[in-house]
Amino acid sequence: MLRGAEGGGRPILGAVIVSTFFIGFGGGVIFPILPNLGAVLGISPFLVGLILSANRFSRLFANAPAGSLVDRFGTRKPFVIGMFIQGISTSGYVIAMIAPLPEAWFMAARLLWGVGSALVFATAYTIADDISDGGSRGSNMGLIRGGVLFGFPTGVVLGGLVSELSGNVVAFTVATGFAFFASAVAYLTVPETHVDGGANQSVKPWDVNTSLPAVTVGLVNFAVLFVYIGALFATLVLFLDQNQLSVFGFDAQGSSGLFMGLTVVAAGLSMYVGGYVSDRNQSRVPILLVFLGVTSVGFVLLALADSVQTLAIACLCIGLGQGGTSGPLMALLGDLVADGEMGRAVGTNNVFGDIGGGFGPIVTLPIVDIVGFWPVYFCCAAMPLVAAAILLSGVRRETGHFLPSVGS
């Protein structure tokens, strides 16, 4: 392993960030396009939500085995294979636009994407943990988390703008090209970091980490991804259309991409800052509580938004909150879990995140259609506060302290 090897770890960290960033385009590009394609394809809001969430559900079942495979065989092979699977699945969006039964192609592509991303997520965070120690884990996790999640909403921006300017097929084709570029980068640059000698035969594929740290961090991840991806990303284009809000002359689809892009920029800044501050303060919990509170404020403002300015501030807060929790949360998991169990712990964490992100569109889109936006957004404002209470309770029970020090 390369734990704490800062000099040798930097090139590895950079390679993983580049790979995960560009592969994330394929996951995000569909979001501003498919909700408006619902009417064109003649499918219900429920089916649209199901397609948007399909990758979450396939990844839900693949996450735990992926984490076990990482602890058993290492990080390189699962990472590279997962990247190529995601590249192939992104090309399915292009086929869906020109083939019969487009909804079936979209569904198949999203399901395949989930399997590939389970491998990528489990390996990326484990690599970051392998090359870190207590004084750098927060910063490194923030950078990796930025690559993984930053690419997704950047794909949302790409999808909204390119689809409006050049058409949906072009947008999906561009995303496919970036996906295969990312796969090539991973194959050429990412080494093994996790398993000495290439295998740990004691870890079985069905081993699942159900420890208190993994479950506690997973529940917080559930709340954050439910409100961010499952609620904001899935409904914003519809919110803009109903309230006739737009920027720079774009319609709801293009404007939603720009507002989501604002959350991307905010998250990108706070991801690293949150991890860095938690490293320097020698505690992860205080900064996590701050950013969970910022997320809650953002959704209150979103529920009350009646102008472009208020909506921009709401998106800024939501982006800052979501990003700021990412680095410290994954670093906290690394602090509390033994080295050889990190792959499985990340798998467990990702299961909870995918339940949140996967059920989000299925729950929020139909409910918004019935009761409107503000009740849904107010409920989303409460979820980060509940997550903060769960975090404090779980950490206190595991460590004996509400504010445990880094690496304790």
Side-chain angles (χ1 to χ4, degrees):
M1 297 187 188
L2 299 174
R3 178 168 297 283
E6 288 298 302
R10 291 297 181 185
I12 300 172
L13 193 71
V16 174
I17 291 170
V18 170
S19 300
T20 54
F21 175 80
F22 283 108
I23 201 71
F25 280 177
V29 70
I30 194 174
F31 263 78
I33 298 174
L34 189 59
N36 282 348
L37 283 178
V40 177
L41 299 177
I43 57 179
S44 67
F46 177 80
L47 184 55
V48 170
L50 195 61
I51 292 173
L52 289 176
S53 301
N55 67 310
R56 298 275 172 182
F57 292 115
S58 62
R59 191 167 67 197
L60 178 63
F61 291 100
N63 275 326
S68 298
L69 290 173
V70 170
D71 285 339
R72 182 181 176 92
F73 295 109
T75 51
R76 174 174 163 77
K77 288 182 179 178
F79 186 74
V80 172
I81 291 172
M83 297 290 286
F84 275 102
I85 289 174
Q86 287 182 281
I88 293 170
S89 66
T90 307
S91 67
Y93 300 157
V94 180
I95 298 174
M97 296 302 299
I98 60 178
L101 297 174
E103 59 271 30
W105 281 101
F106 275 123
M107 183 69 74
R110 298 293 285 172
L111 290 170
L112 186 61
W113 174 274
V115 175
S117 63
L119 293 169
V120 171
F121 274 39
T123 48
Y125 297 130
T126 305
I127 290 170
D129 187 63
D130 288 340
I131 64 175
S132 303
D133 56 24
S136 63
R137 186 174 293 117
S139 301
N140 288 345
M141 284 294 187
L143 290 171
I144 289 290
R145 186 77 165 180
V148 171
L149 294 184
F150 201 39
F152 170 83
T154 303
V156 174
V157 178
L158 180 76
L161 297 180
V162 176
S163 63
E164 181 165 327
L165 297 174
S166 302
N168 297 323
V169 175
V170 173
F172 291 142
T173 301
V174 170
T176 300
F178 279 122
F180 281 112
F181 168 76
S183 302
V185 170
Y187 177 78
L188 294 172
T189 61
V190 177
E192 179 58 57
T193 65
H194 192 57
V195 175
D196 295 325
N200 181 3
Q201 299 298 325
S202 65
V203 179
K204 305 302 180 184
W206 51 86
D207 286 349
V208 179
N209 189 317
T210 57
S211 64
L212 181 60
V215 173
T216 299
V217 170
L219 287 171
V220 177
N221 196 33
F222 164 86
V224 171
L225 290 185
F226 182 97
V227 299
Y228 183 59
I229 295 175
L232 178 67
F233 275 29
T235 65
L236 186 56
V237 63
L238 304 176
F239 179 84
L240 291 171
D241 185 55
Q242 176 173 304
N243 291 277
Q244 297 183 332
L245 297 174
S246 64
V247 289
F248 302 128
F250 288 111
D251 63 8
Q253 188 167 299
S255 296
S256 69
L258 293 176
F259 279 113
M260 291 177 190
L262 179 60
T263 74
V264 172
V265 174
L269 293 173
S270 63
M271 279 175 185
Y272 178 77
V273 170
Y276 179 86
V277 170
S278 76
D279 287 340
R280 296 302 175 267
N281 287 350
Q282 293 296 301
S283 181
R284 317 287 185 195
V285 176
I287 195 68
L288 281 169
L289 296 178
V290 168
F291 281 116
L292 287 171
V294 171
T295 304
S296 180
V297 170
F299 274 96
V300 171
L301 294 175
L302 184 61
L304 302 175
D306 57 0
S307 67
V308 169
Q309 291 76 15
T310 306
L311 180 59
I313 296 172
C315 289
L316 180 65
C317 289
I318 293 170
L320 287 171
Q322 182 274 328
T325 60
S326 299
L329 191 63
M330 296 305 298
L332 179 65
L333 185 62
D335 290 341
L336 300 179
V337 173
D339 297 349
E341 299 178 5
M342 187 59 180
R344 283 163 287 173
V346 172
T348 300
N349 174 69
N350 291 342
V351 167
F352 281 99
D354 286 334
I355 292 174
F359 275 101
I362 291 178
V363 172
T364 58
L365 284 171
I367 293 180
V368 160
D369 197 43
I370 296 172
V371 303
F373 292 95
W374 71 263
V376 172
Y377 292 155
F378 271 127
C379 289
C380 288
M383 289 188 67
L385 303 181
V386 175
I390 292 172
L391 175 67
L392 288 172
S393 176
V395 168
R396 174 69 171 81
R397 185 168 182 178
E398 177 67 18
T399 67
H401 304 280
F402 285 113
L403 307 177
S405 61
V406 168
S408 66

